[in-house]
Amino acid sequence: MQFSPNPNSQISPNPQPYRVVVAVGGGIAAYKVCEVVSTLFKSGVEVKVILTNSAQKFVTPLTFSTLSRNSAYTDENFWQSSQPRPLHIELGEWADIILIAPLTANTLGKLVHGIADNLLTNTILASRCPVLLAPAMNTDMWEQASVQRNWELLLTDTRYHSTGISSGLLACDRVGQGRMTEPSEIVTHIQSLFHTKGDRALTGKRILISAGGTREFLDPVRFIGNPSTGKMGLALAQAAQHRGGNVTLVHAPINSNIPHNIKSIHCTTAEEMRQAMIEELWNQDVIIMSAAVADVKPRNYSKEKLAKKELPETLPLAPVPDILAALASRKQTHQQLIGFAAQTGDIITPAMEKLQRKNLDAIVANPIDQPDSGFGYDYNQAVILDKQGNRFDIPHCSKLQMAHQIFDFVLKSGAL
Ligand code: CTP
């Protein structure tokens, strides 16, 4: 997925490729950082890598210089005076974002106390850009009071952002917390930081998002559905979480993994989604219905699978509840309710009509008859309309960029 530079971005256009220093610590998860570097390079990002001495026990500088088509530095380079300026100063000033992955207990302890005894820690102190931390270690190490104290303390410094830490089978054969966040999630978080420059204006805000296409079953194997894959809703959830929001994602079946740090509620039918959304509504600040809800369901449901010869020639249909209308009638005045309108042809007139009929604060009208946009694609384009009569055009861009532009719009409106 090409992310940078984005020629279409209306916000903070960056004429240069983004620049990321990837600082690799000594842990087995270092092998996964190879994928992070490779993905960033393929998406047009310039990457330089720093390896600590212990990182080199797991991966080599050659691996990273090959993947990044750029330099990979070690402490040996740090102590050589061949550079015109000290290497840590050069790297610190060069980076738009620094990723530390895997973040070990050792480097964490040094960062908390401002200790700089190698290239990685000196570069951190010689830079001002946002730093994304992807910790990984054995569960007992992670749960040590000293490590937890350090972790909480470090995150009070707003330049540090966290990918969180996952649970699962660890390389030490333990099952528990300590796995590094998956490479694709790390890359998405870096892409968010390109856009926000580290701003977390949604801190303390609760964001409720619906995603995916609901399914209305005729029998256990057949349903009325739509081609939604949930990518737009997931991008909204990730963008909000990366901006500090407390996110709940209510989703119909979707094709992607949901990041571990997003609360998710699974549902299948429109009625299940309606119930989940109403239950979650009361303490939310922003509610975005990006789900593609089936408009109708088969009037009759058979618990047993119908044989082909038993299928009716015409299918009697019944309407499904309008979830947005239910939310609009219950919402408090401070809550921002935003709908989507996936349209063909003229996208503005029907979206305007839905904005008013569903009593929304804003609506995102997106065309589904344009190339490389809409259902199932990684890209989208849209026009946001709000009830004050404002209009904001989002040209073709990645769904993550579009999600950020939607939140920029909400934040700019001063409604939060
Ligand atoms: N929506 C909803 N409940 C439904 C149908 C749609 O909450 N039963 C929401 C969608 O999630 C979207 C918005 O309403 O945010 C517009 O959906 P759309 O299908 O375009 O609107 P409809 O009212 O179904 O209008 P139409 O299908 O006639 O265009």
Side-chain angles (χ1 to χ4, degrees):
M1 177 170 63
Q2 182 75 25
F3 189 89
S4 162
N6 168 25
N8 295 324
S9 175
Q10 293 185 330
I11 294 162
S12 341
N14 190 346
Q16 300 292 323
Y18 287 107
R19 301 190 288 209
V20 176
V21 165
V22 175
V24 188
I28 183 59
Y31 87 94
K32 290 188 182 176
V33 182
C34 301
E35 196 180 327
V36 173
V37 170
S38 173
T39 310
L40 287 172
F41 171 78
K42 286 180 198 153
S43 66
V45 177
E46 227 183 304
V47 183
K48 291 184 180 179
V49 175
I50 295 173
L51 294 96
T52 63
N53 287 337
S54 26
Q56 292 170 71
K57 310 272 186 220
F58 295 93
V59 276
T60 69
L62 182 62
T63 313
F64 286 112
S65 58
T66 307
L67 291 172
S68 65
R69 326 296 198 263
N70 216 333
S71 305
Y73 301 101
T74 65
D75 284 359
E76 239 176 80
N77 305 110
F78 181 44
W79 295 114
Q80 279 166 8
S81 55
S82 58
Q83 307 275 341
R85 297 171 75 216
L87 182 56
H88 61 296
I89 310 289
E90 286 285 348
L91 288 171
E93 289 177 4
W94 179 85
D96 293 316
I97 310 285
I98 299 176
L99 165 71
I100 307 181
L103 173 70
T104 59
N106 187 38
T107 298
L108 169 61
K110 289 182 195 173
L111 294 179
V112 169
H113 297 288
I115 294 171
D117 65 348
N118 60 11
L119 178 59
L120 187 160
T121 46
N122 275 281
T123 303
I124 296 295
L125 292 192
S127 61
R128 292 186 178 273
C129 64
V131 179
L132 181 61
L133 306 170
M137 62 196 81
N138 157 274
T139 309
D140 286 333
M141 293 172 78
W142 174 247
E143 288 176 353
Q144 282 299 322
S146 55
V147 172
Q148 283 303 305
R149 248 194 329 266
N150 282 347
W151 179 240
E152 278 167 31
L153 198 56
L154 191 63
L155 292 183
T156 58
D157 181 341
T158 54
R159 90 175 277 221
Y160 291 104
H161 297 252
S162 155
T163 64
I165 197 159
S166 299
S167 297
L169 176 63
L170 307 178
C172 54
D173 272 345
R174 281 280 297 272
V175 176
Q177 275 209 317
R179 279 173 68 89
M180 193 176 78
T181 298
E182 288 307 310
S184 62
E185 282 177 45
I186 294 176
V187 170
T188 306
H189 204 140
I190 291 171
Q191 291 168 340
S192 281
L193 289 170
F194 291 151
H195 184 93
T196 62
K197 314 274 183 267
D199 177 75
R200 273 180 284 207
L202 291 177
T203 302
K205 302 293 175 197
R206 300 184 72 92
I207 321 290
L208 177 61
I209 294 161
S210 72
T214 60
R215 296 178 176 182
E216 305 299 333
F217 282 82
L218 166 65
D219 69 7
V221 297
R222 302 180 181 92
F223 60 84
I224 296 178
N226 60 69
S228 170
T229 54
K231 282 184 180 174
M232 190 65 236
L234 187 60
L236 283 160
Q238 288 172 302
Q241 201 269 331
H242 297 157
R243 295 170 88 128
N246 188 332
V247 181
T248 302
L249 182 68
V250 173
H251 66 93
I254 61 178
N255 294 350
S256 328
N257 291 332
I258 296 166
H260 60 92
N261 44 14
I262 290 174
K263 177 183 168 189
S264 73
I265 300 172
H266 181 264
C267 56
T268 303
T269 65
E271 178 51 33
E272 287 168 10
M273 184 172 277
R274 189 187 76 91
Q275 282 177 23
M277 291 297 283
I278 289 174
E279 218 161 277
E280 296 295 320
L281 175 68
W282 65 279
N283 64 351
Q284 303 294 331
D285 298 292
V286 182
I287 304 101
I288 307 181
M289 271 297 298
S290 67
V293 186
D295 290 315
V296 289
K297 61 180 179 184
R299 190 176 295 281
N300 305 309
Y301 174 72
S302 165
K303 274 193 194 149
E304 305 298 331
K305 181 188 166 188
L306 296 168
K308 212 185 301 174
K309 61 177 186 320
E310 292 172 315
L311 289 172
E313 241 173 58
T314 55
L315 191 62
L317 298 174
V320 303
D322 191 306
I323 303 171
L324 266 179
L327 297 173
S329 67
R330 289 166 173 81
K331 96 172 181 88
Q332 304 152 53
T333 45
H334 76 275
Q335 295 180 312
Q336 291 296 299
L337 185 58
I338 300 171
F340 264 71
Q343 305 290 155
T344 53
D346 168 21
I347 63 169
I348 303 295
T349 314
M352 284 279 206
E353 185 273 324
K354 286 172 197 180
L355 175 72
Q356 282 155 14
R357 170 164 54 89
K358 297 185 185 232
N359 196 16
L360 307 176
D361 295 290
I363 194 157
V364 181
N366 65 301
I368 48 169
D369 54 0
Q370 298 297 315
D372 202 19
S373 299
F375 291 134
Y377 290 101
D378 289 328
Y379 295 84
N380 218 344
Q381 52 189 298
V383 176
I384 311 180
L385 306 163
D386 72 10
K387 66 176 180 194
Q388 284 82 28
N390 297 311
R391 173 184 168 144
F392 179 67
D393 290 52
I394 304 176
H396 188 258
C397 61
S398 77
K399 286 187 171 171
L400 184 73
Q401 286 174 315
M402 180 160 144
H404 278 296
Q405 296 193 53
I406 292 169
F407 287 115
D408 287 341
F409 182 83
V410 173
L411 287 162
K412 220 169 125 203
S413 73
L416 291 181

